[in-house]
Amino acid sequence: MREPIIIGIAGGSGSGKSTVTNELVSMLDTERVTVIEEDSYYKDQSNLPFEQRVKTNYDHPFAFDHDLLIEHLTKLKNKKSIEKPIYDYEVHNRKKITEKVVPKEVIILEGILILSEKEIRDLLDIKVFVDTDSDVRIIRRILRDMKERGRSLDSVILQYMSTVRSAHLQFVEPSKRYADIIIPEGGYNKVAIDLIYSKIKNS
């Protein structure tokens, strides 16, 4: 196998990153693609009680173990397997078990802050930013967190107003300037996705 191509898909929470990722995976064939979520690399907080873990700003760079993510991306690029952390959103902490991830032809890294870190950017062959209006993002976040992560409406809105919005403006939005491709319309942009697919095929 040749050296894997690493694609970074960034954008605000609820922007449509997963939509773009899923479209690319379906076009490329799941046997050829490994997907890594930045969320899996939230720092271990086993030393903190649940009440304190809830108060963590999960949209700030300090919440992530980017050193471990960089180490794992480097291993995958060098065709070595990794043991990826698994994050439990309901308890705001990593699980004790990990998931073995093997390198494949294409590695998709998806996350809100992956373009804000130079060491991560340097490992990416294609840098993508999904650009979506804030009102669409908050509605998507509410629906996702209530259905998939066991959150209440009040907690989602409180988190958005207290940390998510300010972190987006401070860290996520400025990282857009590093993107090779900016996808508008919340990920539902066939032309942009076809362009990324063509770039992968020709790499």
Side-chain angles (χ1 to χ4, degrees):
M1 186 181 75
R2 66 183 182 183
E3 183 179 285
I5 299 168
I6 304 182
I7 305 163
I9 300 178
S13 178
S15 61
K17 298 183 297 297
S18 295
T19 299
V20 175
T21 297
N22 292 337
E23 283 292 319
L24 288 172
V25 169
S26 66
M27 294 170 76
L28 289 165
D29 179 4
T30 54
E31 295 301 315
R32 297 178 57 204
V33 186
T34 292
V35 177
I36 302 290
E37 304 87 0
E38 184 187 30
D39 285 5
S40 298
Y41 292 83
Y42 280 126
K43 289 178 179 175
D44 180 72
Q45 299 189 106
S46 300
N47 60 317
L48 299 176
F50 178 79
E51 293 73 20
Q52 284 185 256
R53 297 200 299 266
V54 171
K55 297 176 182 177
T56 298
N57 182 352
Y58 291 97
D59 291 78
H60 193 285
F62 288 159
F64 293 93
D65 188 349
H66 279 149
D67 288 341
L68 180 61
L69 174 57
I70 291 164
E71 177 187 326
H72 281 184
L73 287 175
T74 302
K75 284 185 176 180
L76 289 170
K77 203 172 183 73
N78 290 321
K79 307 174 191 176
K80 297 177 181 178
S81 300
I82 62 168
E83 291 293 332
K84 186 183 74 169
I86 301 173
Y87 191 77
D88 188 332
Y89 295 97
E90 293 193 20
V91 300
H92 299 278
N93 202 16
R94 285 184 191 173
K95 293 184 177 182
K96 296 187 183 300
I97 59 173
T98 58
E99 175 189 355
K100 184 174 182 177
V101 176
V102 298
K104 295 184 180 179
E105 292 177 48
V106 179
I107 297 165
I108 299 178
L109 172 64
E110 174 192 321
I112 62 173
L113 293 172
I114 59 172
L115 295 186
S116 67
E117 299 284 337
K118 184 180 185 303
E119 286 185 86
I120 296 177
R121 290 198 307 270
D122 289 345
L123 290 167
L124 304 177
D125 298 292
I126 304 172
K127 299 179 286 294
V128 179
F129 189 96
V130 185
D131 200 13
T132 306
D133 289 342
S134 58
D135 56 344
V136 176
R137 287 189 287 104
I138 180 57
I139 291 170
R140 286 179 176 173
R141 186 180 177 108
I142 289 170
L143 293 173
R144 179 199 67 193
D145 285 6
M146 291 181 68
K147 289 181 179 179
E148 300 175 15
R149 301 183 180 179
R151 306 280 173 80
S152 68
L153 175 62
D154 287 348
S155 70
V156 179
I157 293 174
L158 178 61
Q159 185 182 31
Y160 182 83
M161 295 305 295
S162 61
T163 60
V164 177
R165 184 177 181 277
S166 59
H168 178 86
L169 294 173
Q170 185 176 359
F171 301 110
V172 182
E173 187 68 22
S175 74
K176 181 166 62 176
R177 69 181 183 270
Y178 299 113
D180 302 311
I181 301 170
I182 297 175
I183 301 181
E185 301 176 23
Y188 295 100
N189 189 303
K190 191 174 186 309
V191 173
I193 292 172
D194 285 346
L195 181 64
I196 299 168
Y197 175 69
S198 296
K199 176 66 176 173
I200 295 168
K201 284 192 68 178
N202 294 325
S203 296

